[in-house]
Amino acid sequence: MSQPVLHTSQVLRQIAIGHIQAIDESLFDRQPAGFNNTIRWNVGHIVYWLDRYASMSFGLPSSVPDSYGTLFSSGTKPADWEMTPPSKEELVGMLGTQLDGLSELTGAMLEQQLDSPFIMGSFRFDTAGKLFNFALVHEAIHLGTITSLLKTAK
C-alpha cells in the first residue's frame, strides 16, 4: 500500500509545479475578496508544510529558510508580512527540490511509528505514513485554493 502513496506524492507535486509555473507572477500577490491569502502565500504554505511534515514523519532536517515559517505557517497572511517574500522562481525551485526528495522515500519509512503522535484537533497521526498521507491531502487542498484564486484574480 505504501508504493501508491509514494507515487501519488510525486504525481501530485509534478501537477502542482506545472500548474504554478504556468501562472504569471503578476497574479501571485492578488487577494480577491473572500480569500484570506494569495497564490504566493498558498505556494509558500505548501512548501513550508511539506518540509514540516517530512521533518515530523521521517526526521529529515528542514530544507527551507527560517523566514518561511514567519511568512507561510498556519495563521499568517500577506497583510502582516514585514519582509520580502520569496519570488515565484525561488518557490518553484523549492517545490522541485522537495519533489527530488520524495523519490528518496521508501515504503519502510512510511511504516515507522512517530516518536510522539501528531494531534491536530480531533485527528491523530501515529505513523509516518498516516501523517505523510495527510500532507498530500493538505497540498491538494491548497492547490485547489490556488486554482480558485487564479480564476478570481484574472
Side-chain angles (χ1 to χ4, degrees):
M1 183 62 174
S2 58
Q3 293 306 321
V5 170
L6 296 175
H7 177 73
T8 298
S9 71
Q10 294 171 5
V11 170
L12 174 60
R13 182 48 65 95
Q14 290 170 343
I15 291 168
I17 290 170
H19 184 62
I20 292 162
Q21 281 179 325
I23 300 171
D24 191 288
E25 190 167 7
S26 67
L27 301 174
F28 263 49
D29 298 306
R30 292 190 186 168
Q31 186 173 334
F35 287 89
N36 295 329
N37 287 298
T38 62
I39 291 171
R40 187 179 314 276
W41 183 90
N42 277 274
V43 175
H45 186 74
I46 288 170
V47 170
Y48 173 75
W49 274 106
L50 185 65
D51 181 80
R52 295 285 301 130
Y53 290 132
S55 293
M56 289 184 272
S57 297
F58 311 114
L60 300 175
S62 177
S63 62
V64 300
D66 291 341
S67 61
Y68 278 47
T70 303
L71 296 167
F72 304 121
S73 185
S74 299
T76 62
K77 58 183 184 278
D80 295 338
W81 288 350
E82 295 181 0
M83 65 183 80
T84 302
S87 66
K88 171 187 170 182
E89 181 181 1
E90 179 181 332
L91 290 168
V92 170
M94 295 296 285
L95 291 168
T97 298
Q98 288 179 334
L99 174 59
D100 293 342
L102 293 174
S103 66
E104 297 173 16
L105 301 178
T106 66
M109 293 170 79
L110 294 174
E111 301 303 321
Q112 295 174 358
Q113 290 289 316
L114 299 177
D115 291 337
S116 59
F118 179 72
I119 298 171
M120 185 175 58
S122 63
F123 301 108
R124 176 186 173 99
F125 305 95
D126 53 9
T127 67
K130 288 178 182 176
L131 184 56
F132 183 69
N133 197 46
F134 174 75
L136 302 181
V137 171
H138 177 259
E139 182 160 332
I141 289 167
H142 283 280
L143 188 55
T145 301
I146 290 168
T147 300
S148 296
L149 277 162
L150 182 59
K151 287 179 180 177
T152 308
K154 282 187 173 180

